[in-house]
Amino acid sequence: MDVLTSMYAHNIASYLIEYFGAEDIVKEVEYSAEITRRVVEVKPRGALTPEMAFHMKLVDIYSDIGVEYTVLDNKRHLERSIGVRGSHLEPYVVKGEKGSLLVFFGGHEISDALSFKSSFRSEIHAVRSAYEIGLKTTEKLLAGGTLVVALDGENWMIFSQKSPLTVPFYEKLVSLLLACQRLGYLELATLRDLVKRADARRKLTHMPATSWLCGFARWHGEVRDQIIYWERAKRLYATVREYESEHG
């Protein structure tokens, strides 16, 4: 198992940096990493970036606290990045101003299927869906490479209209993947396992400041009053920064 750290308050990092210039708030991930070390008794080498809200300034923020890798989205991030691009079935090195970060790109299609397509009508439907995803996973790996499945941990259960049916789905999917591993079609691994053997030959120099939703409308605009409160927060934050600059 690989335990990742994350932002303590599930900060939407790239939004806070782009909209507020609030790098100091985002840097609280150092506090989160310390909690992971103290409570879980694991030194985290990777980080889950909340909502995959990535910003290039996160490269150095992560590097400064010893975080070596994260996972982003192949559609939202890799396809819009600048550098030497290839397949999302391989890791990349992303260079910051001072440090660097190893980035794995989650397979958008399968990750989203697991996250949001779990409203099964019956147990038979759930099991059949497990077979379909297991087949798609195996097919994508036949030509080689590493397929990373990345999703918010709770989505596959709480978004289901019949959440008990996610149990036979998940159990069948895991058993199928283990069977495929025994037959030599694939090998299951954690991110930490992949880092040990990572041969990241391609480098990216820039990735867009965005989320897995390809923007920030979910948090700034989906509900009308959100914009009002963000504007108030922005003014307050600017006032505090101005006061600190003048008075310390």
Side-chain angles (χ1 to χ4, degrees):
M1 184 172 67
D2 186 8
V3 177
L4 309 181
T5 195
S6 188
M7 306 282 174
Y8 180 73
H10 198 75
N11 292 336
I12 309 166
S14 56
Y15 178 74
L16 294 182
I17 294 172
E18 284 285 289
Y19 190 66
F20 287 82
E23 291 175 57
D24 56 330
I25 295 177
V26 174
K27 286 179 180 177
E28 60 85 32
V29 68
E30 181 176 7
Y31 175 59
S32 309
E34 176 55 33
I35 290 176
T36 306
R37 283 191 289 269
R38 182 161 33 93
V39 177
V40 190
E41 297 183 345
V42 171
K43 180 180 179 181
R45 293 176 58 192
L48 181 148
T49 303
E51 310 296 347
M52 293 187 180
F54 186 78
H55 193 284
M56 284 300 294
K57 289 186 177 180
L58 275 175
V59 175
D60 290 336
I61 291 173
Y62 280 155
S63 295
D64 285 346
I65 63 170
V67 167
E68 302 171 25
Y69 52 92
T70 192
V71 178
L72 299 176
D73 186 86
N74 70 311
K75 293 285 186 184
R76 313 310 188 199
H77 297 97
L78 178 59
E79 291 186 5
R80 301 168 62 199
S81 65
I82 298 172
V84 183
R85 289 187 303 179
S87 167
H88 71 279
L89 301 177
E90 57 185 297
Y92 289 76
V93 173
V94 180
K95 301 291 289 184
E97 292 183 5
K98 298 180 295 182
S100 63
L101 188 68
L102 188 67
V103 177
F104 297 94
F105 290 96
H108 184 87
E109 179 187 9
I110 291 175
S111 297
D112 274 14
L114 285 167
S115 295
F116 306 114
K117 297 179 181 178
S118 57
S119 290
F120 309 115
R121 297 184 299 273
S122 63
E123 186 168 338
I124 292 175
H125 182 208
V127 171
R128 177 178 175 178
S129 297
Y131 273 103
E132 290 173 351
I133 290 180
L135 178 61
K136 284 183 179 179
T137 301
T138 307
E139 287 176 340
K140 286 186 178 295
L141 291 171
L142 288 178
T146 301
L147 176 66
V148 175
V149 179
L151 56 149
D152 288 344
E154 78 280 7
N155 284 354
W156 66 281
M157 293 180 288
I158 67 169
F159 285 168
S160 175
Q161 294 176 0
K162 296 182 178 180
S163 55
L165 290 176
T166 61
V167 176
F169 164 78
Y170 188 72
E171 288 181 339
K172 176 54 69 174
L173 179 60
V174 170
S175 69
L176 289 170
L177 294 177
L178 288 171
C180 288
Q181 178 173 250
R182 288 193 296 271
L183 293 170
Y185 290 113
L186 54 79
E187 180 183 355
L188 301 173
T190 66
L191 289 175
R192 191 171 289 220
D193 293 333
L194 296 177
V195 169
K196 293 177 184 177
R197 60 184 97 152
D199 183 18
R201 302 176 183 179
R202 302 183 194 272
K203 294 181 173 59
L204 302 175
T205 57
H206 180 77
M207 281 194 293
T210 190
S211 71
W212 71 273
L213 282 164
C214 209
F216 308 112
R218 172 65 58 86
W219 308 281
H220 188 150
E222 187 174 89
V223 178
R224 187 181 62 179
D225 288 350
Q226 286 175 332
I227 298 176
I228 297 172
Y229 289 117
W230 278 122
E231 287 297 328
R232 289 178 183 173
K234 187 176 184 179
R235 289 196 298 272
L236 179 59
Y237 177 74
T239 301
V240 171
R241 291 297 299 272
E242 185 179 341
Y243 184 90
E244 288 179 337
S245 175
E246 185 173 345
H247 301 289

